[in-house]
Amino acid sequence: MYETIRARDCRTDQAQTPATGGGSERGVAMTDHRLDRRDLLKTAGAGILAAGASGVAQATDEDDAETEDATEIQDWHDLDAVREDVDGDYVLVADLESGTDGYEQHVGDPEEGWEPIILFDGTFDGNENETVDLVIDRPTESAVGLFGSTNNAIIKNIGLTNVDVTGEHFVGGLVGANGNTVRNAYVEGKVTGDDLVGGLVGENDGDVLDSYAMGELSGRIEFGGLIGENREDATVENSHADVTIEGGGPIGGLIGKNNGTVTQSFATGDVLCNHSGLGGRVGGLIGRNSGDVTDSYATGEVTMSVSRWFVGGLVGNHRSGQITRCFATGDVSGEDRGAGGFAGRNSADIVKSYATGNVDGEEEVGGLVGSNSAEVTKSYAIGEVTGDLNVGGLIGDNSGYVSKSFATGLTFGTIRVGGVIGENDSGDVTDSYWDTESTERDDGIGNGDGNVTGLSTAEMQGESSANTMDDFDFDERWDIQTDPDDHPSLAKPETA
């Protein structure tokens, strides 16, 4: 799927994807997703991380069959009539814009803008067309979007641009509450609500595939750049968000609260929590996670500007499920407890993952994880770490299991500071390392015991690492980095 991950080159202003070829490559720049949107709807969806592209999947023969006998939608009058038969099959045959017949009657003139279509149970094929200038201004209503809610519907091959959508609960640019499938769809614009707010979908109880959102998003709780809440058994795959997000928490660059499955997806927008007295749990990808996340990443800066807990480059609070082969590159800043380059708090499993961003916090501050009570294995952090109490190059406060991991970032702190872990309170730490020179730490663990080894930069880089870091499996799990010499990197998933 992707070749060796070279972390240091992710520390740039440009989002990166893992390299697709040449084991010694440091990564390839992410394809600019501001391409012609119609081309994106035609792009084969081979997997975002695999292809290094941000397009959506090509329509299939099955899609063509589904819309063969569909009712054609040519203008806003036709679109409004969908609410009269929510079980029907429809195909959009032209762009709908502010100059298209019916816009003033259904969008422009009504004080509240477009009236969302609710309980849609049919098929809607956008046919690679766009809906432009959608306006909805219903700040006290629930189930707000082009489609307010869907049951067993399929919505596909549709783009919405220059949207301005406002609701209260279950708010999304395309769908407020999704009950089945959204595929090959995108939204660009501004979405605002109170809770369960997403750039594309407010609440997802189905599948969101090969889709994206771009623009601005604001809300109070449980909102994300793509989806506000991804429910249990729901799936997000091969999708992304480039959305600037501001509000309370949980907030995520992609998903605010995840209880389902996320794979091959990413977020690039900056995330800011600036509401005191609300939530916390802020992440570059996911705010609060209780599901499996695989082959995904986040690159935006993540900031908690108020005194709330748990902020992370990828996940604010990882409660359950497993995170595997993921990374975060954005800088992280917190004002209270639990700030980590990857996760603010970890209560589950983090495997084969890493963080490269700098981390600045107060208590429980780590280059990878702020506070860990579960398992962290075969992972690393290289960013600078600054805090006051319980500060570690890898983990700030640990009461869980840490194994076969390392840290190299400059680490500053006042009380209980370590190159690997700040405070190890009854945790089990084995076979892990820190760079004594680059971290500027003589102690691997600030307070507590564990099997950690401090090495010089020369000992941890190039061919030397295979000899000095002998607890690592360089045949399958890790790769030696030479030309130039560097710290080890995670091996490609085919052999890991």
Side-chain angles (χ1 to χ4, degrees):
M1 182 162 127
Y2 57 82
E3 294 288 346
T4 298
I5 300 169
R6 296 297 300 275
R8 290 190 182 279
D9 294 291
C10 292
R11 293 286 302 277
T12 69
D13 293 332
Q14 186 176 24
Q16 304 280 325
T17 56
T20 58
S24 63
E25 292 296 324
R26 286 177 174 264
V28 293
M30 183 178 65
T31 301
D32 186 359
H33 52 275
R34 294 172 179 82
L35 301 172
D36 184 85
R37 292 179 292 265
R38 297 177 202 284
D39 290 340
L40 293 181
L41 285 175
K42 298 174 183 176
T43 301
I48 286 174
L49 291 181
S54 54
V56 290
Q58 186 176 7
T60 65
D61 293 339
E62 180 183 356
D63 292 334
D64 295 337
E66 288 173 351
T67 56
E68 211 169 79
D69 300 318
T71 301
E72 293 187 351
I73 296 174
Q74 301 185 46
D75 57 31
W76 291 94
H77 295 304
D78 294 340
L79 183 61
D80 185 68
V82 170
R83 70 184 79 252
E84 304 301 325
D85 181 13
V86 294
D87 297 323
D89 297 325
Y90 302 90
V91 59
L92 187 61
V93 296
D95 291 343
L96 301 184
E97 303 172 340
S98 57
T100 304
D101 193 25
Y103 181 84
E104 290 302 316
Q105 294 94 321
H106 302 295
V107 183
D109 278 345
E111 184 177 345
E112 296 178 330
W114 173 258
E115 179 184 352
I117 298 168
I118 62 171
L119 301 176
F120 183 62
D121 210 16
T123 299
F124 186 92
D125 186 353
N127 196 30
E128 300 173 7
N129 291 298
E130 288 185 339
T131 298
V132 185
D133 301 324
L134 177 70
V135 177
I136 305 176
D137 187 14
R138 300 172 181 269
T140 62
E141 295 187 17
S142 299
V144 175
L146 180 66
F147 293 88
S149 59
T150 66
N151 291 324
N152 294 313
I154 297 174
I155 300 175
K156 59 190 180 183
N157 309 328
I158 178 69
L160 277 65
T161 64
N162 196 34
V163 306
D164 190 348
V165 175
T166 300
E168 186 172 17
H169 313 296
F170 304 98
V171 184
L174 180 62
V175 183
N178 175 50
N180 194 28
T181 301
V182 172
R183 184 170 70 247
N184 301 352
Y186 60 85
V187 171
E188 298 180 6
K190 182 179 180 181
V191 179
T192 304
D194 186 71
D195 66 281
L196 296 166
V197 183
L200 186 79
V201 173
E203 181 193 60
N204 181 43
D205 200 13
D207 296 330
V208 173
L209 312 171
D210 310 310
S211 299
Y212 76 85
M214 293 176 59
E216 301 177 12
L217 184 74
S218 61
R220 190 175 66 92
I221 58 174
E222 293 183 11
F223 63 106
L226 189 76
I227 296 170
E229 179 181 3
N230 194 46
R231 300 193 65 182
E232 188 175 2
D233 298 326
T235 298
V236 177
E237 183 176 341
N238 201 34
S239 298
H240 74 274
D242 182 2
V243 178
T244 301
I245 304 175
E246 182 176 323
I251 318 172
L254 189 77
I255 300 170
K257 179 181 177 181
N258 177 52
N259 294 312
T261 300
V262 179
T263 184
Q264 291 187 332
S265 297
F266 67 91
T268 60
D270 295 339
V271 182
L272 169 64
C273 177
N274 59 3
H275 284 196
S276 61
L278 294 175
R281 294 159 293 171
V282 181
L285 191 78
I286 299 170
R288 174 179 169 179
N289 184 61
S290 300
D292 291 336
V293 183
T294 307
D295 298 324
S296 299
Y297 67 92
T299 65
E301 292 186 6
V302 187
T303 304
M304 183 93 74
S305 65
V306 294
S307 183
R308 303 300 298 172
W309 293 2
F310 310 139
V311 54
L314 192 89
V315 176
N317 187 7
H318 179 36
R319 294 165 54 90
S320 61
Q322 180 166 296
I323 298 178
T324 308
R325 296 192 303 273
C326 294
F327 67 89
T329 66
D331 292 342
V332 175
S333 177
E335 292 292 332
D336 205 316
R337 294 176 56 188
F342 190 86
R345 178 176 175 80
N346 177 49
S347 304
D349 295 338
I350 296 173
V351 182
K352 302 173 190 172
S353 298
Y354 68 88
T356 69
N358 299 329
V359 186
D360 188 354
E362 294 185 2
E363 299 182 19
E364 300 174 357
V365 184
L368 190 77
V369 177
S371 174
N372 177 56
S373 60
E375 182 172 324
V376 175
T377 60
K378 295 180 281 294
S379 299
Y380 65 92
I382 68 172
E384 294 183 5
V385 184
T386 304
D388 296 325
L389 174 65
N390 296 347
V391 183
L394 190 76
I395 296 172
D397 183 273
N398 179 60
S399 58
Y401 176 71
V402 180
S403 176
K404 293 180 171 57
S405 299
F406 72 86
T408 67
L410 187 62
T411 305
F412 297 100
T414 305
I415 301 172
R416 295 195 285 274
V417 184
V420 180
I421 293 172
E423 166 77 6
N424 187 39
D425 182 12
S426 71
D428 185 9
V429 185
T430 66
D431 304 334
S432 296
Y433 301 86
W434 85 99
D435 187 322
T436 58
E437 293 179 284
S438 61
T439 63
E440 295 189 2
R441 307 310 306 183
D442 293 329
D443 296 322
I445 299 176
N447 185 57
D449 299 318
N451 178 18
V452 296
T453 302
L455 299 171
S456 69
T457 299
E459 290 173 322
M460 287 186 70
Q461 292 188 346
E463 297 288 350
S464 297
S465 60
N467 297 318
T468 59
M469 304 174 72
D470 53 4
D471 292 314
F472 281 20
D473 183 352
F474 284 97
D475 291 329
E476 294 186 349
R477 308 294 185 183
W478 296 90
D479 282 341
I480 297 167
Q481 297 303 321
T482 59
D483 193 25
D485 287 354
D486 206 342
H487 295 91
S489 63
L490 291 167
K492 56 186 180 181
E494 288 91 339
T495 59

